[in-house]
Amino acid sequence: MLAETLRGLAVGEVHELITRYGHRAARDMVAAEDRRYVDLAAAILGDEQGALGYLYSGFAMTALPHRRLADDGEAWQRQNGRFNLMVEPGFIPGLDGRPSRQGVPYGSRARLILLYLQTEAIRTNSPEVRLGNTMHDWLDRMGVKSGGSSYNAIRDQSRRLSACRLTVSWISDDGRSGFERANIVGAMMFAPSDTRQGSLWDETAWLSTEFFQALRDHPLPVSETAIKAIQNSSAVMDIYIWLCYRLRSVSKPTLVPWPALHQQFGSEYKQIRQFRAKFLPALKEALAVYPDAKVEIDGNGMRLLPSRPAVPERRVFMLSPGSGS
């Protein structure tokens, strides 16, 4: 059954069809249900000089929730093997001086904002990130329009991210345990809270010292073109980012069993078979925008095979201190 689920049309075959016959011809050669993968693959295959995004590599092993949680709820946690992420909601002082509780950030928009904040911090080598026209233009380039409900969602998630606190805990190989705790945003200047589209873009955020240092020490490069193609699905984004992190260091076939995949990507599903039914289509989308990824799926789980990095090393460079572009 698993083989049939992934076999419908192998992602590698999609890439080959596009390379040989072109995007439009490839769409006509596959079943209607596979055209989504053709479109995704075509976007990344045509990306010759695409921009890079950067994320703290810790986000590859743990992630934010996909759906909105109760705003008055407690901290949210996700465990992945020896690692555990806890996200605590926080408060922002209002104009009247009273604290306003912000819920836990969630979904694809929170992930896009995180990508922007971290990419800009690496690009400018500074924890100060303008949420001005730069972010407006970046979101537009990523296919996110800044008007209406999208504007409200971006503003809401930016406030949630600015208020929350992260705690990452782990157990080391020798059995010792430890944790690191930090705010993502150490300070933020908010524009007046009104409905004018321009108000969001006048804000400025400063990444906390601890988070900025962790980002500088452990950056994970990703393709902005890939993120743009999958930016409406937080589940696909998480799988893509995880593959970017894991496959760059795989030197021999490595099995990730279904219980481990379930724990990391689908703990909200009670049964592994329920999770698997949702995971496999999302995995195919992630693989469509990572042409060089090599994985195998069977009844035991997913086997990671030695693969070329999602972003060619010749395109990856770290800006030296003081450089601004």
Side-chain angles (χ1 to χ4, degrees), residues 83-152:
F83 293 88
N84 184 78
L85 170 69
M86 179 170 67
V87 183
E88 299 174 81
F91 294 84
I92 293 178
L95 294 177
D96 59 0
R98 296 180 180 180
S100 173
R101 182 182 175 92
Q102 308 296 310
V104 173
Y106 65 92
S108 62
R109 295 301 178 253
R111 287 160 170 79
L112 284 176
I113 296 170
L114 273 176
L115 176 63
Y116 170 77
L117 290 173
Q118 294 170 86
T119 299
E120 280 295 289
I122 289 292
R123 187 185 69 82
T124 62
N125 194 39
S126 170
E128 180 179 351
V129 181
R130 291 283 307 279
L131 304 186
N133 289 333
T134 303
M135 182 173 178
H136 179 283
D137 293 342
W138 182 83
L139 287 171
D140 188 63
R141 190 170 76 242
M142 295 295 286
V144 179
K145 303 303 179 184
S146 58
S149 60
S150 181
Y151 162 74
N152 292 329

Side-chain angles (χ1 to χ4, degrees), residues 203-223:
E203 299 171 355
T204 302
W206 287 264
L207 300 185
S208 70
T209 302
E210 298 85 357
F211 184 75
F212 180 57
Q213 189 59 51
L215 171 63
R216 283 173 53 88
D217 291 343
H218 306 285
L220 175 67
V222 297
S223 163

Side-chain angles (χ1 to χ4, degrees), residues 130-300:
R130 291 283 307 279
L131 304 186
N133 289 333
T134 303
M135 182 173 178
H136 179 283
D137 293 342
W138 182 83
L139 287 171
D140 188 63
R141 190 170 76 242
M142 295 295 286
V144 179
K145 303 303 179 184
S146 58
S149 60
S150 181
Y151 162 74
N152 292 329
I154 292 292
R155 187 181 183 91
D156 175 54
Q157 293 302 323
S158 68
R159 288 178 175 269
R160 289 169 182 262
L161 285 166
S162 69
C164 75
R165 182 169 63 167
L166 307 182
T167 301
V168 179
S169 58
W170 64 87
I171 299 176
S172 61
D173 293 335
D174 59 7
R176 293 183 298 173
S177 61
F179 71 91
E180 291 181 353
R181 178 177 296 147
N183 289 67
I184 297 175
V185 176
M188 193 163 183
M189 290 293 292
F190 289 107
S193 180
D194 59 35
T195 57
R196 291 176 300 170
Q197 180 177 328
S199 63
L200 171 64
W201 315 125
D202 295 329
E203 299 171 355
T204 302
W206 287 264
L207 300 185
S208 70
T209 302
E210 298 85 357
F211 184 75
F212 180 57
Q213 189 59 51
L215 171 63
R216 283 173 53 88
D217 291 343
H218 306 285
L220 175 67
V222 297
S223 163
E224 283 194 354
T225 300
I227 296 294
K228 177 181 179 179
I230 58 177
Q231 51 108 346
N232 286 321
S233 173
S234 57
V236 179
M237 292 172 69
D238 288 350
I239 296 171
Y240 168 76
I241 291 168
W242 178 75
L243 288 172
C244 289
Y245 176 75
R246 289 298 306 272
L247 290 178
R248 69 178 184 173
S249 60
V250 169
S251 58
K252 61 181 180 180
T254 303
L255 177 68
V256 183
W258 281 113
L261 293 169
H262 177 226
Q263 184 180 57
Q264 179 170 358
F265 295 110
S267 57
E268 65 270 27
Y269 297 99
K270 292 184 178 180
Q271 298 181 344
I272 290 181
R273 63 179 179 81
Q274 295 174 321
F275 157 70
R276 203 159 52 194
K278 297 292 185 180
F279 176 76
L280 291 176
L283 172 62
K284 283 190 73 171
E285 293 196 23
L287 292 174
V289 296
Y290 187 167
D292 292 318
K294 293 181 172 58
V295 305
E296 295 176 348
I297 293 287
D298 58 29
N300 297 315

Side-chain angles (χ1 to χ4, degrees), residues 17-33:
L17 286 176
I18 296 171
T19 301
R20 181 174 297 184
Y21 301 107
H23 181 193
R24 288 192 176 184
R27 287 187 101 253
D28 294 336
M29 298 169 70
V30 303
E33 60 268 22

